[in-house]
Amino acid sequence: MKIVPPALAEHLRGDATTTCHCWKVTLKDGAAIGFTDHDEALSFAGVTYLATSGFGASDSDSETGLGASAGEVTGGFSSEVISESELAAGRFDGAKVELFLVNWQAPEQHVLLNMREIGEVTRAGGAFRAELRSIAHRLSQPQGRVYGRRCDAALGDRRCGADLARFTGSGSVTGVDAAGNLSATGLDAFAEGFFSRGKLRFLTGGLTGKSFDLDGHEKRDGGTRLSFWLAPEQSPLPGDAFSVIAGCDKSFPTCKAKFANSLNFRGFPHLPGADFAYSYASGGQSHDGKALFP
């Protein structure tokens, strides 16, 4: 149950009101940014809510019980603190959003309407659209392990146990083609495909500290070509240094042959799949009870 402050309640009972909405966005790094749909900036509770963001909320739906409600917020890239590059880099992913109803003539009169999390963000034409999910959406997320043939650990984490130092290389950018693929030096000692499905992290340049998933790793024209799953919004420049971690396709053969880590494999390679469920006994097969998958 929401408790409306007496002063705001008295204002809302009047014949005319001066209210607006304010959004407080708390990022995962702890930074708090404020936005408002009012035509002037407002301040309360130690946060300044900017009026130049172009923020506006759409209709939202509500569910009874533990059903997850959802809504959207839209805006333009007119504020210094919310740029297209920041959204592309994922700075706002999973951020907590608090929506307030505020009397703009007396901002200390405000009430928290709801609390959401930023979900999917789309960008087009100098504007963005962000999905706002209620906290209840976490109840629909899978909990615990999922049984599957492939490993569900992240390469190098506590459950995997692989020593990433043995599977990490470093190099520098020599060029970028029109599709965003990198030409690089420093990786000649690694076999082609070693870094496919790996992760690249820039150490210098405009993308310093940012990581990107790799798609392919090829040897081409006497050098190395690295392709991204999703190319960076900002192209790196020749000379930018990076480190890159080997890729893992989560299969048991790769874990055994490439990483010599089969004892820590966290999948179930002998688990029957849908093809087994639809199979039938055949006189041409040997049914001696041995493992179907060596």
Side-chain angles (χ1 to χ4, degrees):
M1 183 178 66
K2 294 181 177 64
I3 299 178
V4 181
L8 179 59
E10 182 64 27
H11 174 73
L12 294 176
R13 282 193 290 264
D15 294 333
T17 61
T18 54
T19 59
C20 64
H21 291 98
C22 291
W23 292 266
K24 178 183 177 182
V25 181
T26 304
L27 308 180
K28 287 187 175 180
D29 60 10
I33 308 171
F35 306 98
T36 180
D37 55 9
H38 187 48
D39 57 2
E40 294 183 359
L42 302 173
S43 296
F44 60 86
V47 177
T48 298
Y49 296 82
L50 304 176
T52 58
S53 62
F55 255 52
S58 71
D59 293 337
S60 61
D61 57 54
S62 298
E63 302 286 345
T64 59
L66 297 178
S69 56
E72 286 183 341
V73 65
T74 60
F77 300 114
S78 57
S79 172
E80 293 181 358
V81 296
I82 183 166
S83 63
E84 187 166 8
S85 61
E86 292 285 353
L87 283 177
R91 187 169 182 239
F92 288 81
D93 291 353
K96 181 177 70 174
V97 180
E98 297 169 83
L99 173 62
F100 295 90
L101 180 68
V102 183
N103 179 0
W104 52 263
Q105 286 191 331
E108 65 276 4
Q109 299 177 15
H110 59 269
V111 62
L112 177 65
L113 297 180
N114 60 49
M115 185 180 299
R116 302 286 178 90
E117 288 183 350
I118 292 181
E120 182 179 358
V121 179
T122 57
R123 296 166 284 122
F128 66 90
R129 182 182 300 273
E131 178 188 17
L132 297 182
R133 301 172 177 169
S134 70
I135 304 300
H137 88 278
R138 298 181 184 178
L139 298 175
S140 63
Q141 304 301 312
Q143 302 295 322
R145 298 189 64 186
V146 176
Y147 287 91
R149 291 184 181 179
R150 295 186 180 272
C151 180
D152 61 358
L155 181 64
D157 69 4
R158 178 182 57 83
R159 297 174 60 232
C160 170
D163 182 9
L164 289 184
R166 297 173 50 204
F167 307 103
T168 301
S170 59
S172 60
V173 178
T174 59
V176 183
D177 65 18
N181 302 312
L182 300 186
S183 298
T185 60
L187 303 177
D188 295 340
F190 298 93
E192 182 174 272
F194 188 80
F195 295 110
S196 295
R197 300 185 182 90
K199 187 174 288 290
L200 182 147
R201 183 174 185 268
F202 286 98
L203 304 177
T204 62
L207 296 173
T208 299
K210 296 182 179 179
S211 299
F212 300 91
D213 294 325
L214 292 176
D215 179 19
H217 167 210
E218 303 174 80
K219 289 184 177 295
R220 181 177 294 185
D221 301 328
T224 300
R225 178 179 179 270
L226 300 173
S227 57
F228 295 100
W229 277 110
L230 183 64
E233 293 286 330
Q234 174 186 344
S235 295
L237 298 176
D240 288 354
F242 61 82
S243 64
V244 59
I245 299 173
C248 178
D249 63 5
K250 307 296 184 181
S251 69
F252 184 73
T254 297
C255 184
K256 182 178 180 180
K258 184 175 182 177
F259 300 102
N261 195 39
S262 57
L263 292 179
N264 288 330
F265 186 71
R266 301 299 177 177
F268 303 86
H270 306 309
L271 185 72
D275 54 343
F276 179 82
Y278 289 102
S279 65
Y280 54 90
S282 171
Q285 297 177 343
S286 175
H287 302 282
D288 55 5
K290 68 181 180 182
L292 296 178
F293 304 96

